[in-house]
Amino acid sequence: MKVLVIGNGGREHAIIWKLAQSPKVTKIYSALGNAGIAKQAEIVNIKIDDFQTLANFAIENKIDFTFVGPEIPLADGIVDFFNSKNLKIFGPSKKGAMLEASKSFAKDFMQKYNVPTAAYNVFTDFNKALDFLNKLPEDEKLVVKADGLAAGKGVIMCQNRQQAIRALKDIMQDKTFGSAGNKIIFEQWLQGQETSVLVFVDGKHFSIMPAAQDHKRVGDGDTGLNTGGMGAYAPAPVATEELLKQIKEQIMPAIINGLQKEKIEYKGILYIGFMVDNGKPYVLEFNCRFGDPETQVILPLLKTDLVDIVEHTINQTLDEIDIKWENKAAVCVVLASGGYPENYEKNIEISGLDTVTEDEAIIFHAGTKKNENGKIVTSGGRVLVVTAISDDIKSAIDKAYKVIPKIKFDKMHYRKDIGQRALKWISKQKLPL
Ligand code: AMP
Ligand code: GLY
């Protein structure tokens, strides 16, 4: 089979790494790519928003299916476009991707179909939103969200009414997040532990992957600015059997029912961000694709051929496949450019990549490229993702951090505490490590 993957980050490298293991796959193309992807796929120089050229490429090269990594082409309707040309593609329709692209759409969907989530109010009018805030107690804590794709940045946690008013002005008047600020959402601030549960969904059936946990802040101890994600681990112990049972028996059936009632075609991945408060899960957000860097810990645990899963998803027969996972733990640490998530330099040479064997760790490339002298250099904020697999989270953490000193580039930085939250949680529950 010939496969086309769209996107060029660490997530897409992990997808390609997994697809390349399939005995069914003979050739992988990657629309854009990086120095790591280039080893397993042929890089095609077509922009990911150029649907017509991508579709022409798929037709001319007899691509069996296209796998979409990032959210933007999904939100812009690449799946509908490919389907209209009878091309097989893995991902939700434009309407399905609205579960990520519009937070108000997602909240209304959850409310309508009894999916537990934080209480909320939506406003399109600045003055009405301000009136609402002015009626709240001075010390009311509130989460303020811009209603659109804002690269994970459109959420402001406000400690009191004054901060919420500031956030409202930033979003709706100053348009800090552009047109995502035409609508605003105020949400009840939930307490608890966060976990991400990713689910294969074919529109009728679903299959849950091991729960993961991301580390969004740049600094140790969850300090500093938000990033795309600095590391992850799976399975996340906060997602207990009991919690997964609730998701499987109540939340996912409610979501599938909603998708069907709303006639939303959804054949791909639904990423559900949960807040777990006293054992009860509340949905914080939906994403319509694999997470980055969650994919880099989830896919290395997948035993089943990803191509089989893709085919069953596209054919709406996910109920006919028994998806198997390794009974192990995976931890990944993101190696970032100095200055990330703010300004950083590019084109810095990376050394040591060849000194790490896959038994020690898998190195997924994110922002890397080969320069004119054939050297691998940095080309983005998140540069490399080091994934270690072991019998438990503790030893996977140790394994990942043992490998990192072998890899070097000037001003490289990374979090030193990936996975510590899991260890704390385990010791609080008095569970074996
Ligand atoms: P979202 O993109 O909606 O998931 O929000 C990004 C991050 O903001 C989440 O991962 C949480 O850490 C936080 N967050 C969002 N909504 C809430 C909420 N209602 N209560 C507490 N934290 C929240
Ligand atoms: N790591 C968070 C995300 O992919 O949205």
Side-chain angles (χ1 to χ4, degrees):
M1 290 177 99
K2 293 199 217 166
V3 183
L4 170 65
V5 176
I6 293 182
N8 64 345
R11 163 182 51 207
E12 287 74 21
H13 190 192
I15 292 166
I16 287 168
W17 171 87
K18 187 68 198 167
L19 289 171
Q21 292 172 9
S22 171
K24 294 185 174 175
V25 170
T26 51
K27 176 96 189 171
I28 304 176
Y29 295 95
S30 173
L32 301 181
N34 58 39
I37 289 175
K39 290 193 178 163
Q40 273 152 343
E42 181 176 328
I43 297 191
V44 183
N45 211 358
I46 306 173
K47 291 219 178 82
I48 66 171
D49 59 1
D50 187 354
F51 297 169
Q52 185 67 59
T53 310
L54 289 168
N56 289 346
F57 179 87
I59 295 165
E60 280 159 22
N61 291 281
K62 300 194 171 52
I63 296 295
D64 291 282
F65 68 84
T66 298
F67 195 119
V68 189
E71 63 276 19
I72 292 178
L74 294 167
D76 288 342
I78 191 169
V79 169
D80 311 65
F81 189 81
F82 269 50
N83 282 336
S84 73
K85 309 245 173 290
N86 275 326
L87 291 167
K88 285 199 177 158
I89 184 159
F90 180 81
S93 63
K94 185 179 169 95
K95 200 168 171 199
M98 271 181 77
L99 288 172
E100 171 166 3
S102 165
K103 289 183 185 295
S104 65
F105 178 84
K107 293 294 280 188
D108 292 347
F109 177 91
M110 288 188 253
Q111 191 174 53
K112 189 164 173 190
Y113 294 101
N114 292 319
V115 176
T117 188
Y120 71 104
N121 292 83
V122 180
F123 293 95
T124 46
D125 182 278
F126 173 82
N127 289 318
K128 285 188 181 148
L130 188 61
D131 278 351
F132 174 87
L133 290 181
N134 278 328
K135 288 188 188 120
L136 294 177
E138 187 93 29
D139 59 353
E140 180 86 6
K141 291 172 90 185
L142 209 64
V143 184
V144 178
K145 299 184 177 181
D147 188 44
L149 292 177
K153 296 190 189 93
V155 175
I156 305 174
M157 313 293 291
C158 303
Q159 300 285 347
N160 53 45
R161 188 178 68 195
Q162 218 42 48
Q163 285 184 7
I165 291 174
R166 180 74 262 151
L168 166 66
K169 287 183 177 160
D170 283 350
I171 292 173
M172 281 195 114
Q173 280 187 330
D174 301 344
K175 295 279 193 248
T176 330
F177 306 111
S179 61
N182 293 341
K183 239 187 209 177
I184 200 160
I185 298 147
F186 299 136
E187 251 183 60
Q188 169 200 10
W189 183 321
L190 298 172
Q191 304 294 331
Q193 274 261 11
E194 278 184 58
T195 184
S196 308
V197 177
L198 282 75
V199 189
F200 292 110
V201 172
D202 72 8
K204 290 183 181 164
H205 321 97
F206 65 90
S207 179
I208 294 175
M209 307 182 211
Q213 196 165 43
D214 189 9
H215 296 65
K216 288 199 171 115
R217 302 290 199 97
V218 70
D220 287 347
D222 294 325
T223 53
L225 294 173
N226 260 328
T227 68
M230 293 298 287
Y233 57 85
V238 61
T240 57
E241 293 234 339
E242 181 54 35
L243 189 89
L244 291 169
K245 191 164 175 255
Q246 277 185 57
I247 295 170
K248 195 169 169 194
E249 292 180 2
Q250 290 159 24
I251 296 177
M252 276 315 299
I255 291 172
I256 296 282
N257 175 46
L259 292 175
Q260 293 188 331
K261 291 263 164 61
E262 299 296 319
K263 301 200 166 24
I264 297 175
E265 201 166 306
Y266 206 109
K267 297 177 179 179
I269 285 147
L270 182 66
Y271 167 136
I272 316 179
F274 283 103
M275 182 72 85
V276 186
D277 184 7
N278 280 320
K280 202 172 168 344
Y282 295 87
V283 176
L284 288 180
E285 64 163 340
F286 290 125
N287 292 322
C288 60
R289 34 106 195 145
F290 263 130
D292 190 347
E294 292 88 335
T295 311
Q296 292 90 310
V297 288
I298 292 174
L299 285 184
L301 298 176
L302 177 61
K303 283 211 246 180
T304 306
D305 188 338
L306 183 57
V307 172
D308 289 344
I309 301 176
V310 168
E311 289 185 309
H312 279 281
T313 304
I314 291 175
N315 297 334
Q316 293 196 296
T317 52
L318 263 181
D319 56 326
E320 291 173 14
I321 177 169
D322 184 17
I323 298 175
K324 294 226 169 11
W325 300 93
E326 299 279 2
N327 191 16
K328 288 181 183 269
V331 170
C332 77
V333 182
V334 172
L335 309 183
S337 295
Y340 175 80
E342 294 184 287
N343 292 338
Y344 52 83
E345 282 172 50
K346 293 184 186 174
N347 298 311
I348 300 175
E349 194 176 327
I350 305 168
S351 66
L353 288 169
D354 294 337
T355 64
V356 182
T357 64
E358 210 166 272
D359 274 347
E360 291 175 291
I362 314 165
I363 315 272
F364 292 118
H365 288 231
T368 70
K369 66 171 191 195
K370 233 183 206 172
N371 71 8
E372 53 286 354
N373 305 321
K375 304 265 190 233
I376 296 182
V377 296
T378 64
S379 71
R382 293 191 290 176
V383 177
L384 296 161
V385 185
V386 176
T387 298
I389 298 155
S390 192
D391 290 336
D392 53 51
I393 298 262
K394 169 94 178 62
S395 54
I397 294 171
D398 294 343
K399 231 176 132 179
Y401 282 106
K402 202 170 151 207
V403 161
I404 291 173
K406 293 186 170 193
I407 302 164
K408 292 191 176 67
F409 58 87
D410 195 32
K411 301 199 181 79
M412 167 177 123
H413 73 93
Y414 58 91
R415 275 184 65 162
K416 315 285 186 303
D417 64 344
I418 301 300
Q420 292 304 319
R421 241 181 286 147
L423 298 186
K424 259 195 216 135
W425 200 90
I426 290 169
S427 70
K428 242 172 66 191
Q429 311 297 314
K430 304 206 170 24
L431 295 171
L433 274 180

